[in-house]
Amino acid sequence: AQVEEGAVSLWNWAVTKHTGSVVNDEQRAKLRFVACRLVCLCEGSDPPEGTIRRQILMSMKTGKGWIDIGKADLADGFLEIAMSSIEKLYAKLLKGSDGEADIHVHKADVEKNLFKVLSYQAESAVAQGDFQKAVMCMQRCKDMLMKLPKETCYLSILCYNFGVETYEWKRYEQSSFWLSQSYDIGKMDMKYSVGKEMQAKVLRLLATAYFEWDCNLYLDKALKAVNLANQENLHPAGVFLKVKILLKSGASDEDINSAVAEFLHHEMSLDFCLNTAKLLLEHGRESVGFDFLKSVPERFESSPDLGKIALLHIEFLLQNKRELLAKQKVEEIIIGHYTGKQLLPEALNRLHIILWDRAAKHYEAKSYSEALHWYNYSVSFYTPGQIDQNLAKLQRNMASCYLHLKQVDKAKEAVKEAERCDPNSIFTKFCVYKIAVMEKDTDKAVEAVIEMGKLAEKLSQHEDKLRVDENTGTNLLSLAAQIALENEQQVVAIKALEYLSEHLQDCQQLFAALKCLVRLMLSKFMAENEEKRDEDINSMLTYLTLAHKRLAESFTEEKFTGDMGIPEAHWFRKVAWNLAVQFRGCPEKMRDFFLLSFKLSQFCPSDKAVLIAQKTCLLMAAAVDLEMGRQVVTPSEQTELLTQALQHLQACKEIWKVLKLTGDFAKDPTDTLLLLYEFEARSKLNDPTLHNLMESVWEQPQTEVKTLEIIASLAMESPARYPVLCKKALKSALNLHRKQPVIDAVKFSKCLHSLINLSLPTGLTDLDACVLQEVWHYFEDALSVVSSTDAYPEMEILWLMTRAWNTGIFQYTVGKYKEAEQWCGLGIRLLNHLGSLKKSYE
């Protein structure tokens, strides 16, 4: 009992709170569900009448609640419970009845609930797509109407709703059944009928369902339904539908005229009349349509919307290629505009659209004079001096027509007017540009392109309002470049392409623009003297840098599919390489192009050819940095250049390691160049790792004499000063000279000269005995070679003799007579090997 009491309280609370909008429909359905379930659980074997009645009510409302929130499948169980409870109630009432009269009273009492449950079951079946069950339930309800006539209206509307639902689901057969049922039920009892307006509404939808189901097959039924609807209640929608069906059936103009005549007897809105005229004209019934259209103004003489009729008339005249008549109508409107019969703003805007559309069609057909005729109609509605952005657009369109007709002065006037109305429009600047190109005014064309470039960054307020495509700026710049190229105006084309490449988002289009720019600039190089090239070289660097940047973004963001970006990378890297070679007279630019070629090649597959190109680019870049570092620069600039060179060399070494795995490079000088470049950079940077680098050199037996001699020279080249390394390199070089089968006396003499100069500086008297001993050995080496060949340069022998003699004299002055005798004796021995100079020194 307590559970049942709680369930009833919950039910009542849900009703109260829903009325106060505390709980929504779904929450109420769930609360009812719980309360109803609890009540059902509390049912005894023989519940009293009140309990059964409550259960019927709760089950019905719970089922209906689920239907209303679109969960019809949950409703069925509760509706079955309601049906079962109704049977129990009827049995209980019969059991306690007293006579025939009582039985009739009880039966009538039960039938009201039964009717409701059956209608809900029909609703649930329709929602779940169970047509047969819905029909069966509805038929039972229909059979009960004789006893429940007041439910006629409810059942008719319910069937109408089923018809609407199934129509929306395009189940036209089912829809026509329900709508027919709705109409039939509505006629059963006039006292409780839905009324003529509703019956007409049902019939109109029934006609529409037949029409859309299969117009050819059910045409007669559709026509019959709409005629019945119009008999019940004549409504514009009914007349319109009838005309529509007649048109589809191919009825004669006479029949259609007859149907249209029905309009004349009733009040119809202007829009409704226009829609009917439009329907007639769209179906090719010109005679009926235009006659009807002519009759409409009389009915709406005082309407401010009267202009709509004229517009429709013009549109259909144009559609039917009656252009002359359409022009007459437009001219009538223009006269009316200036005689107090102006169109409403909305209608005037619509007229402008019609006029522009007709002009555009003539423009596309290259009938430029005719296009101007229609544009001039549009201009007629603007007052002199009026500022309007649409007028600016109109003037631009007219300027384009004048340009095609070679009427440049008129085009200029139109553009001037457009600039007055909308000075910040990229379209206006484009018109200025076209005229400048046509007149071969390069300066003005370039100026216009610059303005277009600025406006492409941010489209003017007018163009934003028109929701101009976001690519408008780039499209116009692209067209500008194309026009310049067609007119052989290279400078203008370059400027247009430069701005275009700044704004293009599409990678393929950007690379196409950049390629075009590069080609144009290359041809410009050929025609220029060297003084003018600097600016263009910088431009070329900018183009290639942009190509690299966008390639990097494309590969990172995966904008390319497959290998689409690789051909582009190859093209630009080769251009950069060729430019580096072409500008070898300008080391800094050469380096920049080589580095760009390397960076671009990183987007190419690392095959042998690409690796060789990468290695060469980095070597050349390092060589240029070292060469620039040798020039007169500040210490900080020199440090920066040398550091850059080291970075290039490090990258090059990594590539070289990979490259050596691909083939035989025994004769390739890369290892030597890497060594020499790295030695120079590290020595001039005073890098502490220099000695580690040289340790690996001393251990290599295959190091060439020339390499060692260059190392020796670099070791003492300012700001480097490494006499120990220099001496070691020269000694190693001398050893290699000695190992030759035939000593090259000239090279040997130069190497020895450098070693003696380093070990025995000129002008020093206080020399360590060890140093003198070391140098003595060098002189003996020299004497040995001099004695064995006639190829030793005489000037070198003279130099050796002079150094030996002077060293002896220096020793003599400090009292070292024995050493002095040795050195002077060495000098005399060398004297004996002099040729033509011997007599001069004896």
Side-chain angles (χ1 to χ4, degrees), residues 353-370:
I353 291 166
I354 293 167
L355 297 172
W356 286 28
D357 184 61
R358 178 53 45 174
K361 282 181 169 65
H362 282 297
Y363 185 91
E364 286 166 14
K366 299 185 179 178
S367 302
Y368 304 115
S369 296
E370 200 57 38

Side-chain angles (χ1 to χ4, degrees), residues 395-595:
Q395 294 289 355
R396 288 194 296 268
N397 292 345
M398 292 176 75
S400 294
C401 293
Y402 286 128
L403 285 175
H404 281 293
L405 294 168
K406 307 296 182 190
Q407 297 176 16
V408 178
D409 289 340
K410 286 187 176 180
K412 282 182 176 179
E413 285 176 27
V415 170
K416 191 176 178 182
E417 185 66 14
E419 283 188 291
R420 183 185 67 77
C421 293
D422 192 9
N424 295 319
S425 166
I426 193 170
F427 296 104
T428 304
K429 299 300 177 190
F430 181 67
C431 290
V432 173
Y433 168 82
K434 280 198 293 185
I435 294 170
V437 170
M438 188 174 275
E439 294 186 318
K440 299 194 183 304
D441 188 341
T442 302
D443 292 340
K444 193 166 185 180
V446 168
E447 185 186 325
V449 164
I450 291 168
E451 289 294 324
M452 286 170 68
K454 289 175 183 175
L455 289 167
E457 193 68 40
K458 187 177 183 181
L459 294 176
S460 71
Q461 186 181 5
H462 162 53
E463 290 155 349
D464 284 341
K465 280 181 182 174
L466 284 182
R467 297 179 185 175
V468 171
D469 185 89
E470 61 182 2
N471 295 322
T472 297
T474 53
N475 290 343
L476 285 177
L477 286 167
S478 179
L479 194 54
Q482 185 182 328
I483 291 168
L485 290 169
E486 287 170 358
N487 287 271
E488 297 180 354
Q489 295 191 27
Q490 196 181 66
V491 174
V492 181
I494 287 171
K495 185 59 69 177
L497 286 165
E498 282 177 348
Y499 276 106
L500 180 63
S501 60
E502 285 176 23
H503 297 101
L504 276 172
Q505 296 302 313
D506 182 275
C507 290
Q508 294 289 1
Q509 290 178 6
L510 171 70
F511 293 135
L514 287 174
K515 283 180 180 180
C516 192
L517 265 175
V518 167
R519 291 188 184 104
L520 285 171
M521 200 59 84
L522 285 172
S523 63
K524 197 178 171 199
F525 284 159
M526 306 308 292
E528 285 178 335
N529 57 41
E530 289 192 19
E531 291 175 8
K532 290 185 178 179
R533 281 188 181 179
D534 274 353
E535 189 179 336
D536 291 341
I537 292 170
N538 289 332
S539 295
M540 194 69 89
L541 281 167
T542 303
Y543 306 155
L544 294 171
T545 302
L546 179 58
H548 172 262
K549 181 187 172 200
R550 293 300 290 273
L551 275 167
E553 288 172 0
S554 302
F555 279 97
T556 304
E557 296 167 16
E558 296 181 353
K559 287 184 181 176
F560 283 123
T561 54
D563 300 331
M564 279 171 61
I566 294 170
E568 308 292 356
H570 272 303
W571 193 91
F572 286 109
R573 83 168 177 87
K574 287 173 183 176
V575 168
W577 174 282
N578 291 334
L579 287 168
V581 173
Q582 188 175 341
F583 296 115
R584 54 184 175 273
C586 181
E588 188 176 355
K589 300 292 186 234
M590 180 173 75
R591 175 201 61 190
D592 292 343
F593 281 120
F594 271 129
L595 283 175

